Amino acid sequence: MTRFRDELARLETDPSGRQWLFVPYDQLSDSIGPLSREDPSELGIVLVENRWKAARRPYHRQKLALVLANMRHFAVEQAARGVAVRHVVGNGPYRLALEPLIKELGPMRTMRSAEYELRLDLAPLVQAGGLVELAHEGWLTIDEDFTASQKKGPPWRMDAFYRQVRRRSGLLMEDGKPIGGKHSFDADNRRSWPGEPPAPEPPVFEPDELTIEVAELIEARFSDHPGDLDLTSLPATRDDAEILWRWALERCMPFFGPYEDAMSYASSGLFHTRISGLLNIHRVLPARVVDDVAGLDIPLASKEGFIRQVLGWREFMRHVHE
């Protein structure tokens, strides 16, 4: 990782006297948590690039590249803001990589991990006080949304949860009633795609040296993992994420609803946005995509259909997971 290390070294700042944060691989944003509101010159972040994690399961090589390339670019972006960055390479449970850093730097804060395995891994550090767990600010709903909508217990129902969240948030609501007369237009969003309008071609990205270095690492160490790497379809930087999301808003959203469930040999994605990976690592924030789509002048079935995926299914599954 010579090129990445050189870039971090070029941007290195004095790490003394900092408040340190452990940033997991799915929280790569400075628009939530302490990074969004505290002085960058007073903060330091720890990022763990973990070969043990990558080797635990046969993760698709494109997924590994997405996570690792975005993590490295995020590190550089934060260093450029004046945040001190400690990037370490682990080859075992995350707590083993963090324990010596906690002894060196003092207790760290971290937002609660979305992934159950990582929460279990970090639990001893949390219990010992070396890692102070904060609420994860990327989520859009609260526990009460789930409990208030599922009073009968399992089997849990997404539709009841979604109605509860719509009522509480007021999103796509008017005078306490859903705009358009119903909460869900799912029944209207099941058309087959006849070939028109044409499916948009997704943007092409020009990989930089850091992304190419990640690809070289994956090919060298994880060549037995499935899939092929396509760096031209890999959004790795903050600017890449912005390009993909603007493309999705302009080219996909107007027709997202009717062809939401369609499949075709002629197009692998049709009018889907391809942002789920970026959403899950928080390079694009759920709150932003919901607000952006809510403000579009597009058919209501498309607007509601997309918002239901993020505010409804994604949030519902988070609570079921918990």
mmCIF file of all heavy atoms in Angstrom, residues 150-168:
data_model
loop_
_atom_site.group_PDB
_atom_site.id
_atom_site.type_symbol
_atom_site.label_atom_id
_atom_site.label_comp_id
_atom_site.label_asym_id
_atom_site.label_seq_id
_atom_site.Cartn_x
_atom_site.Cartn_y
_atom_site.Cartn_z
ATOM 1 N N GLN A 150 -45.689 -2.904 16.166
ATOM 2 C CA GLN A 150 -45.679 -4.374 16.209
ATOM 3 C C GLN A 150 -46.184 -4.869 17.557
ATOM 4 O O GLN A 150 -45.581 -5.726 18.200
ATOM 5 C CB GLN A 150 -44.255 -4.898 15.955
ATOM 6 C CG GLN A 150 -43.548 -4.289 14.778
ATOM 7 C CD GLN A 150 -44.169 -4.653 13.438
ATOM 8 O OE1 GLN A 150 -44.614 -5.787 13.242
ATOM 9 N NE2 GLN A 150 -44.198 -3.694 12.516
ATOM 10 N N LYS A 151 -47.305 -4.323 18.004
ATOM 11 C CA LYS A 151 -47.795 -4.606 19.353
ATOM 12 C C LYS A 151 -48.173 -6.070 19.547
ATOM 13 O O LYS A 151 -48.168 -6.580 20.671
ATOM 14 C CB LYS A 151 -48.986 -3.695 19.662
ATOM 15 C CG LYS A 151 -48.581 -2.222 19.755
ATOM 16 C CD LYS A 151 -49.766 -1.320 20.045
ATOM 17 C CE LYS A 151 -49.333 0.138 20.122
ATOM 18 N NZ LYS A 151 -50.478 1.046 20.366
ATOM 19 N N LYS A 152 -48.504 -6.763 18.474
ATOM 20 C CA LYS A 152 -48.898 -8.169 18.602
ATOM 21 C C LYS A 152 -47.697 -9.108 18.589
ATOM 22 O O LYS A 152 -47.855 -10.313 18.776
ATOM 23 C CB LYS A 152 -49.860 -8.542 17.476
ATOM 24 C CG LYS A 152 -51.189 -7.800 17.520
ATOM 25 C CD LYS A 152 -52.100 -8.245 16.392
ATOM 26 C CE LYS A 152 -53.436 -7.505 16.435
ATOM 27 N NZ LYS A 152 -54.336 -7.927 15.329
ATOM 28 N N GLY A 153 -46.506 -8.545 18.367
ATOM 29 C CA GLY A 153 -45.328 -9.395 18.304
ATOM 30 C C GLY A 153 -45.205 -10.073 16.956
ATOM 31 O O GLY A 153 -45.969 -9.798 16.025
ATOM 32 N N PRO A 154 -44.244 -10.989 16.833
ATOM 33 C CA PRO A 154 -44.048 -11.652 15.541
ATOM 34 C C PRO A 154 -45.244 -12.511 15.164
ATOM 35 O O PRO A 154 -45.941 -12.997 16.047
ATOM 36 C CB PRO A 154 -42.788 -12.502 15.781
ATOM 37 C CG PRO A 154 -42.696 -12.663 17.260
ATOM 38 C CD PRO A 154 -43.316 -11.442 17.866
ATOM 39 N N PRO A 155 -45.510 -12.728 13.849
ATOM 40 C CA PRO A 155 -44.669 -12.251 12.738
ATOM 41 C C PRO A 155 -44.773 -10.744 12.532
ATOM 42 O O PRO A 155 -45.871 -10.203 12.485
ATOM 43 C CB PRO A 155 -45.230 -13.012 11.534
ATOM 44 C CG PRO A 155 -46.663 -13.280 11.886
ATOM 45 C CD PRO A 155 -46.672 -13.519 13.367
ATOM 46 N N TRP A 156 -43.614 -10.099 12.438
ATOM 47 C CA TRP A 156 -43.574 -8.652 12.292
ATOM 48 C C TRP A 156 -43.951 -8.240 10.874
ATOM 49 O O TRP A 156 -43.693 -8.964 9.914
ATOM 50 C CB TRP A 156 -42.172 -8.148 12.641
ATOM 51 C CG TRP A 156 -41.840 -8.383 14.080
ATOM 52 C CD1 TRP A 156 -42.584 -8.035 15.162
ATOM 53 C CD2 TRP A 156 -40.679 -9.042 14.597
ATOM 54 N NE1 TRP A 156 -41.971 -8.415 16.333
ATOM 55 C CE2 TRP A 156 -40.789 -9.037 16.015
ATOM 56 C CE3 TRP A 156 -39.555 -9.628 14.025
ATOM 57 C CZ2 TRP A 156 -39.821 -9.594 16.841
ATOM 58 C CZ3 TRP A 156 -38.590 -10.182 14.856
ATOM 59 C CH2 TRP A 156 -38.720 -10.163 16.236
ATOM 60 N N ARG A 157 -44.545 -7.050 10.772
ATOM 61 C CA ARG A 157 -45.067 -6.588 9.485
ATOM 62 C C ARG A 157 -44.412 -5.267 9.085
ATOM 63 O O ARG A 157 -44.507 -4.270 9.795
ATOM 64 C CB ARG A 157 -46.586 -6.411 9.577
ATOM 65 C CG ARG A 157 -47.360 -7.697 9.854
ATOM 66 C CD ARG A 157 -47.243 -8.659 8.670
ATOM 67 N NE ARG A 157 -47.751 -8.041 7.452
ATOM 68 C CZ ARG A 157 -49.030 -8.124 7.064
ATOM 69 N NH1 ARG A 157 -49.917 -8.794 7.801
ATOM 70 N NH2 ARG A 157 -49.421 -7.547 5.948
ATOM 71 N N MET A 158 -43.785 -5.278 7.920
ATOM 72 C CA MET A 158 -43.164 -4.062 7.436
ATOM 73 C C MET A 158 -44.189 -2.979 7.142
ATOM 74 O O MET A 158 -43.955 -1.797 7.390
ATOM 75 C CB MET A 158 -42.335 -4.350 6.181
ATOM 76 C CG MET A 158 -41.378 -3.208 5.777
ATOM 77 S SD MET A 158 -42.119 -1.751 4.990
ATOM 78 C CE MET A 158 -42.560 -2.418 3.383
ATOM 79 N N ASP A 159 -45.345 -3.356 6.592
ATOM 80 C CA ASP A 159 -46.325 -2.344 6.212
ATOM 81 C C ASP A 159 -46.795 -1.539 7.424
ATOM 82 O O ASP A 159 -46.966 -0.330 7.347
ATOM 83 C CB ASP A 159 -47.504 -2.965 5.459
ATOM 84 C CG ASP A 159 -48.196 -4.072 6.240
ATOM 85 O OD1 ASP A 159 -47.607 -4.595 7.207
ATOM 86 O OD2 ASP A 159 -49.336 -4.424 5.867
ATOM 87 N N ALA A 160 -46.992 -2.220 8.556
ATOM 88 C CA ALA A 160 -47.399 -1.513 9.776
ATOM 89 C C ALA A 160 -46.293 -0.579 10.255
ATOM 90 O O ALA A 160 -46.547 0.554 10.684
ATOM 91 C CB ALA A 160 -47.752 -2.523 10.867
ATOM 92 N N PHE A 161 -45.056 -1.044 10.182
ATOM 93 C CA PHE A 161 -43.913 -0.208 10.562
ATOM 94 C C PHE A 161 -43.825 1.024 9.664
ATOM 95 O O PHE A 161 -43.651 2.152 10.140
ATOM 96 C CB PHE A 161 -42.630 -1.032 10.471
ATOM 97 C CG PHE A 161 -41.367 -0.242 10.605
ATOM 98 C CD1 PHE A 161 -40.923 0.175 11.848
ATOM 99 C CD2 PHE A 161 -40.618 0.098 9.482
ATOM 100 C CE1 PHE A 161 -39.754 0.915 11.970
ATOM 101 C CE2 PHE A 161 -39.449 0.828 9.600
ATOM 102 C CZ PHE A 161 -39.014 1.234 10.849
ATOM 103 N N TYR A 162 -43.959 0.806 8.372
ATOM 104 C CA TYR A 162 -43.833 1.899 7.405
ATOM 105 C C TYR A 162 -44.912 2.956 7.628
ATOM 106 O O TYR A 162 -44.642 4.162 7.591
ATOM 107 C CB TYR A 162 -43.910 1.313 6.003
ATOM 108 C CG TYR A 162 -43.794 2.297 4.870
ATOM 109 C CD1 TYR A 162 -42.746 3.193 4.781
ATOM 110 C CD2 TYR A 162 -44.750 2.301 3.837
ATOM 111 C CE1 TYR A 162 -42.639 4.078 3.716
ATOM 112 C CE2 TYR A 162 -44.655 3.168 2.770
ATOM 113 C CZ TYR A 162 -43.593 4.060 2.723
ATOM 114 O OH TYR A 162 -43.491 4.930 1.664
ATOM 115 N N ARG A 163 -46.145 2.519 7.873
ATOM 116 C CA ARG A 163 -47.211 3.486 8.143
ATOM 117 C C ARG A 163 -46.910 4.294 9.396
ATOM 118 O O ARG A 163 -47.154 5.512 9.443
ATOM 119 C CB ARG A 163 -48.556 2.762 8.280
ATOM 120 C CG ARG A 163 -49.092 2.195 6.976
ATOM 121 C CD ARG A 163 -50.564 1.810 7.109
ATOM 122 N NE ARG A 163 -50.765 0.779 8.122
ATOM 123 C CZ ARG A 163 -50.732 -0.518 7.886
ATOM 124 N NH1 ARG A 163 -50.489 -0.963 6.656
ATOM 125 N NH2 ARG A 163 -50.951 -1.382 8.858
ATOM 126 N N GLN A 164 -46.400 3.643 10.434
ATOM 127 C CA GLN A 164 -46.041 4.324 11.673
ATOM 128 C C GLN A 164 -44.975 5.397 11.422
ATOM 129 O O GLN A 164 -45.091 6.532 11.904
ATOM 130 C CB GLN A 164 -45.514 3.296 12.693
ATOM 131 C CG GLN A 164 -44.678 3.846 13.840
ATOM 132 C CD GLN A 164 -45.468 4.669 14.833
ATOM 133 O OE1 GLN A 164 -46.689 4.535 14.919
ATOM 134 N NE2 GLN A 164 -44.783 5.528 15.577
ATOM 135 N N VAL A 165 -43.960 5.048 10.657
ATOM 136 C CA VAL A 165 -42.876 5.997 10.393
ATOM 137 C C VAL A 165 -43.367 7.155 9.545
ATOM 138 O O VAL A 165 -42.998 8.315 9.783
ATOM 139 C CB VAL A 165 -41.688 5.281 9.719
ATOM 140 C CG1 VAL A 165 -40.603 6.274 9.336
ATOM 141 C CG2 VAL A 165 -41.109 4.208 10.635
ATOM 142 N N ARG A 166 -44.195 6.875 8.570
ATOM 143 C CA ARG A 166 -44.751 7.950 7.749
ATOM 144 C C ARG A 166 -45.573 8.906 8.609
ATOM 145 O O ARG A 166 -45.474 10.129 8.462
ATOM 146 C CB ARG A 166 -45.601 7.350 6.620
ATOM 147 C CG ARG A 166 -44.800 6.653 5.521
ATOM 148 C CD ARG A 166 -44.329 7.633 4.458
ATOM 149 N NE ARG A 166 -45.446 8.304 3.833
ATOM 150 C CZ ARG A 166 -46.154 7.814 2.814
ATOM 151 N NH1 ARG A 166 -45.852 6.631 2.290
ATOM 152 N NH2 ARG A 166 -47.154 8.504 2.295
ATOM 153 N N ARG A 167 -46.385 8.366 9.491
ATOM 154 C CA ARG A 167 -47.217 9.231 10.343
ATOM 155 C C ARG A 167 -46.346 10.082 11.261
ATOM 156 O O ARG A 167 -46.589 11.286 11.416
ATOM 157 C CB ARG A 167 -48.196 8.389 11.168
ATOM 158 C CG ARG A 167 -49.356 7.803 10.372
ATOM 159 C CD ARG A 167 -50.426 7.244 11.300
ATOM 160 N NE ARG A 167 -49.930 6.119 12.080
ATOM 161 C CZ ARG A 167 -50.061 4.848 11.720
ATOM 162 N NH1 ARG A 167 -50.674 4.534 10.584
ATOM 163 N NH2 ARG A 167 -49.599 3.879 12.483
ATOM 164 N N ARG A 168 -45.354 9.472 11.870
ATOM 165 C CA ARG A 168 -44.517 10.224 12.822
ATOM 166 C C ARG A 168 -43.681 11.277 12.118
ATOM 167 O O ARG A 168 -43.539 12.411 12.599
ATOM 168 C CB ARG A 168 -43.611 9.275 13.597
ATOM 169 C CG ARG A 168 -42.709 10.004 14.612
ATOM 170 C CD ARG A 168 -41.751 9.085 15.321
ATOM 171 N NE ARG A 168 -40.809 8.441 14.423
ATOM 172 C CZ ARG A 168 -39.730 9.034 13.907
ATOM 173 N NH1 ARG A 168 -39.474 10.307 14.170
ATOM 174 N NH2 ARG A 168 -38.915 8.368 13.116
#
